[in-house]
Amino acid sequence: MSKTSVVVASHSPYNRKPKVLMTTLDEIVDSFELIGDWDQRYQYLTELGEKLPVMPESLKSDKNKVKGCMSQVWVSAYTNEQDAALIQYHGDCDTSIIKGVLAVLIQLVSGKEPEAIEKLDVDEIFTRLQLDENLSPNRHVGVYAIIELMKQQARELQSSQHKYDIAKQKC
């Protein structure tokens, strides 16, 4: 896997600024391993959450709300302006630690095709980042629910893009 960061362009009307993101689990694990104890890692997660772009209130709908999470969490998928096959995400959460985890998840899946998002292995993320040892079981359930909603939204965007492509061919 590549250890380089990439610039991910976004077509969201709410955020036009490209960002440099860690895009592989290896890169994120490397960053976590540089941090010693879990108090510092919690602080790092909090900082990642604080850097998450503001999610517009209009996207904080029931459709985008994660069910089964103790925190109030929203995610919203949209297609990349330069390549409609790539998915991007907005996200927000009312608790700092889970907002940081959400930021990590968004980094992992944004700029990817739905097939790659679907293959995201939640257990590998938990194990490699040692979240399984340091988040409560209730938080685990919530993170699984976040990832499931992200996958569902990616599938829906892929399906709507496929329908659009078929309609376009008929014209």
Side-chain angles (χ1 to χ4, degrees), residues 25-169:
L25 184 55
D26 286 341
E27 291 171 319
I28 294 169
V29 168
D30 287 348
S31 294
F32 266 71
E33 287 177 349
L34 293 174
I35 303 167
D37 64 27
W38 262 93
D39 286 337
Q40 292 175 329
R41 289 180 183 191
Y42 283 134
Q43 180 61 37
Y44 180 62
L45 281 172
T46 299
E47 290 170 9
L48 289 176
E50 290 170 354
K51 292 177 184 176
L52 201 58
V54 174
M55 183 178 194
E57 289 299 317
S58 62
L59 295 178
K60 293 182 182 178
S61 65
D62 202 44
K63 174 185 163 197
N64 294 330
K65 189 172 182 182
V66 177
K67 309 320 186 251
C69 194
M70 290 174 38
S71 303
Q72 300 288 314
V73 182
W74 297 268
V75 292
S76 177
Y78 58 96
T79 56
N80 181 291
E81 186 175 76
Q82 286 76 35
D83 185 346
L86 303 179
I87 308 296
Q88 306 291 131
Y89 288 89
H90 286 291
D92 197 11
C93 179
D94 66 348
T95 59
S96 59
I97 297 297
I98 296 303
K99 188 171 184 175
V101 173
L102 177 61
V104 168
L105 296 175
I106 288 173
Q107 288 180 8
L108 283 172
V109 298
S110 281
K112 304 263 188 319
E113 293 184 355
E115 295 81 13
I117 295 168
E118 195 66 40
K119 291 178 183 176
L120 188 65
D121 184 346
V122 184
D123 294 323
E124 180 184 13
I125 295 167
F126 271 104
T127 300
R128 294 199 51 209
L129 293 177
Q130 299 175 356
L131 295 174
D132 51 348
E133 301 167 18
N134 295 285
L135 289 181
S136 72
N138 287 338
R139 297 287 189 203
H140 284 208
V141 171
V143 174
Y144 278 94
I146 293 168
I147 293 173
E148 186 51 43
L149 181 57
M150 294 174 112
K151 289 179 178 184
Q152 175 189 333
Q153 290 177 346
R155 288 189 298 267
E156 289 170 0
L157 280 175
Q158 182 180 37
S159 175
S160 64
Q161 182 64 38
H162 179 70
K163 289 175 186 173
Y164 171 79
D165 291 342
I166 289 172
K168 192 174 168 184
Q169 289 173 358

